[in-house]
């Protein structure tokens, strides 16, 4: 499946029960961190969060992703 936003990601995770999910940390309607937490509470899966490194101005996006339940935060390739 492929979701267009965080809410659709939650809905698809519940319906499809995938083995692995890659998810952007910043999405419309529902951000990735909230969606990760919801998925992990209702349909646990291995989740890899993806985010632009430039967005990590606080240096805490990785920590937020892992706290929500993601295995890791991966930097988006530049260009």
């Amino acid at each position: 499946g492929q979701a267009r936003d965080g809410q659709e990601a939650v809905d698809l995770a519940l319906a499809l029960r995938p083995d692995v999910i890659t998810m952007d940390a910043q999405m419309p309607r529902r951000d990735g961190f909230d969606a990760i937490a919801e998925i992990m509470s209702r349909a646990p899966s291995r989740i890899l969060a993806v985010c632009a490194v430039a967005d990590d101005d606080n240096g805490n996006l990785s920590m937020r992703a892992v706290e929500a339940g993601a295995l890791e935060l991966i930097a988006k390739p530049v260009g």
Side-chain angles (χ1 to χ4, degrees), residues 25-76:
Q26 298 170 326
M27 294 184 290
R29 284 205 318 163
R30 189 172 196 173
D31 74 22
F33 304 111
D34 184 49
I36 291 167
E38 179 77 14
I39 291 167
M40 292 306 289
S41 72
R42 298 182 62 198
S45 182
R46 294 169 193 89
I47 299 175
L48 299 173
V50 181
C51 189
V53 175
D55 294 339
D56 195 7
D57 56 358
N58 297 351
N60 69 357
L61 289 180
S62 292
M63 183 66 74
R64 286 182 62 203
V66 170
E67 285 175 351
L71 294 174
E72 180 96 33
L73 180 103
I74 300 169
K76 283 183 187 176

